[in-house]
Amino acid sequence: MRTNIKRLSLGAAVLGLALGGTSLSLINQAQASTGGQSSTEQTQTSNSINLSQNDAINKFNEKYGSKSIKEIELKNKKNKYIYEVEGFDSEKEYKVKIDASNGKILKAKSENLDADDKEEALDLNGLISRSEATKIAQSKASGKAVKWSLEMDDRQPVWEVELKDGNKETEVKIDAKSQKILKTKTDEDKKDKKDSEKKDQVDHKENSFS
């Protein structure tokens, strides 16, 4: 009887090892198929900026050829950083959306220019980089940079950097050549402006009825 019990115990142990080895093998295969990344690591990868500004412009040029660049924007949408590059020629304007983590073109469209449209082309030579603009913005206001845009504003190239610190948002405009801070605007400033506009509308209605 003892011999039979020993045999049964030994058989169960061998079976357990075999099943355990199979489970471990399946786990290893699953990790290999996903690159061994955790869900947090995968989120960080999809949320990373692997494409430079020049890379994004090159992607735009691959799609539409060499055009005048009007604006370059980088922002976070649904936990993913997206470049939006806008350009134009004498007849049309173009826009391309690019995944900043892998360079994939997500959307591209073109449309005819209106006769009264006055487009300004960016001269990208001699401008400060996005990281330099971020440092300048953070010297003026606290927070993490979450959005950047580079475009012509009143005939000068301007970086606009949006910083977020908790629930507080601050937009800093910087001359992309002289590095001078041109304007700083907080969400409180936006709220005050909206309240003032609403008050003006109410006053206008009251005056029209009087």
Side-chain angles (χ1 to χ4, degrees):
M1 179 65 69
R2 288 180 181 176
T3 303
N4 289 338
I5 290 171
K6 286 182 180 179
R7 286 176 179 173
L8 286 171
S9 300
L10 184 59
V14 171
L15 181 61
L17 286 170
L19 289 174
T22 302
S23 301
L24 185 60
S25 177
L26 289 172
I27 291 169
N28 289 336
Q29 288 175 10
Q31 287 179 336
S33 66
T34 59
Q37 289 181 314
S38 65
S39 58
T40 304
E41 288 172 332
Q42 289 172 348
T43 300
Q44 289 174 345
T45 300
S46 65
N47 197 24
S48 59
I49 303 171
N50 298 324
L51 218 66
S52 70
Q53 180 172 291
N54 285 338
D55 292 333
I57 293 171
N58 289 336
K59 289 285 181 180
F60 175 91
N61 290 337
E62 286 174 14
K63 180 65 180 177
Y64 288 118
S66 183
K67 307 294 180 184
S68 296
I69 301 298
K70 174 184 174 183
E71 180 180 0
I72 304 161
E73 186 176 68
L74 177 62
K75 57 186 175 182
N76 194 301
K77 279 189 174 182
K78 297 180 180 179
N79 203 36
K80 182 182 290 187
Y81 277 103
I82 305 294
Y83 274 105
E84 290 188 10
V85 183
E86 294 185 42
F88 64 94
D89 56 22
S90 60
E91 298 178 349
K92 293 185 176 184
E93 58 183 356
Y94 310 86
K95 180 185 284 189
V96 175
K97 293 185 179 182
I98 307 160
D99 189 323
S101 66
N102 57 27
K104 181 181 178 182
I105 293 179
L106 304 173
K107 189 175 181 181
K109 69 174 184 178
S110 64
E111 56 186 29
N112 292 330
L113 277 174
D114 293 333
D116 57 347
D117 280 345
K118 293 182 179 179
E119 307 287 3
E120 284 190 271
L122 272 169
D123 181 1
L124 298 169
N125 295 316
L127 305 185
I128 60 173
S129 66
R130 179 170 56 85
S131 60
E132 289 172 320
T134 300
K135 288 177 183 177
I136 294 170
Q138 289 174 329
S139 71
K140 182 68 176 178
S142 62
K144 178 184 177 182
V146 294
K147 182 180 177 182
W148 304 261
S149 66
L150 176 62
E151 64 180 327
M152 296 297 291
D153 186 356
D154 196 20
R155 296 184 180 180
Q156 65 184 127
V158 172
W159 271 110
E160 183 174 303
V161 183
E162 184 176 307
L163 304 172
K164 192 166 185 179
D165 186 4
N167 294 324
K168 182 182 177 182
E169 293 181 358
T170 307
E171 292 177 2
V172 183
K173 286 189 174 184
I174 305 159
D175 187 315
K177 280 193 173 180
S178 70
Q179 306 182 30
K180 179 183 177 182
I181 294 176
L182 304 172
K183 189 174 182 181
T184 302
K185 183 168 61 176
T186 66
D187 43 7
E188 287 297 321
D189 296 330
K190 295 177 187 177
K191 183 177 180 297
D192 291 343
K193 185 178 180 181
K194 286 182 180 179
D195 291 342
S196 177
E197 289 173 350
K198 285 180 181 178
K199 185 178 182 300
D200 290 341
Q201 289 174 357
V202 171
D203 291 343
H204 178 73
K205 286 181 181 180
E206 289 178 350
N207 291 332
S208 63
F209 284 116
S210 59

